Amino acid sequence: MILMVRADDRLIHGMVAVSWTSHLKPETILVANDVVAADSFKLMTMKMAKPAGVNLVIKSKDDSIKALNNPINDRKKIFLVTETVEDALYIYERVDGKFKSLNVGTAGVNKKPGEQYYPTLPQVFMTVEEFESAKKMANEGVEIFAQITPTRERMDFKDIEKIFNTHK
């Protein structure tokens, strides 16, 4: 069971490793990222940030989809982390709707050149493409929200949508 998905361009870091993991209490953190899964140095770095008592699995997006679609994982409590909202949508469309909520926590640390980033909350940014991907999932009933940590301010999708509608 996927407890929550977080789109965060930093993937695993203090807020994910401590705040969200303490809040969600997953058995496993699954990082779905093609670049990290193929880079032994990045893999090692991510594993060093792993919180105690939780399994950390890092797979490509397609291997993550295979794992999430495997019935053996249906009862496991999984916290899925992707780099972008588009990555979350890619997985959502291929895992038979197995997740119900997406936390947008993208800090815009790894900004793509020439891409416009819009602030939703302090420290949380989205691109138009991420917004459109989030909108597709919201239209299918996925709860979309921006939030840094479980104890900080939360912005629901309707308020994120207002921000993007003012920039049209």
Side-chain angles (χ1 to χ4, degrees), residues 14 24 49 64 70 80 101 106 114 129 145 152 156:
L24 295 170
S64 295
N70 185 336
L80 176 62
S101 66
T106 302
E129 292 79 12
F145 62 99
R152 301 279 301 272
D156 291 323

Side-chain angles (χ1 to χ4, degrees), residues 11 30-38 57-69 80-95 112:
L11 298 171
L30 173 58
V31 174
N33 186 275
D34 296 341
V35 173
V36 175
V57 178
I58 301 169
K59 294 181 174 287
S60 68
K61 289 183 293 193
D62 288 331
D63 285 345
S64 295
I65 291 164
K66 287 176 193 169
L68 293 167
N69 281 328
L80 176 62
V81 180
T82 65
E83 185 175 8
T84 65
V85 177
E86 294 101 327
D87 289 348
L89 175 63
Y90 179 85
I91 292 168
Y92 178 79
E93 293 175 334
R94 291 159 179 83
V95 295
K112 301 170 201 155

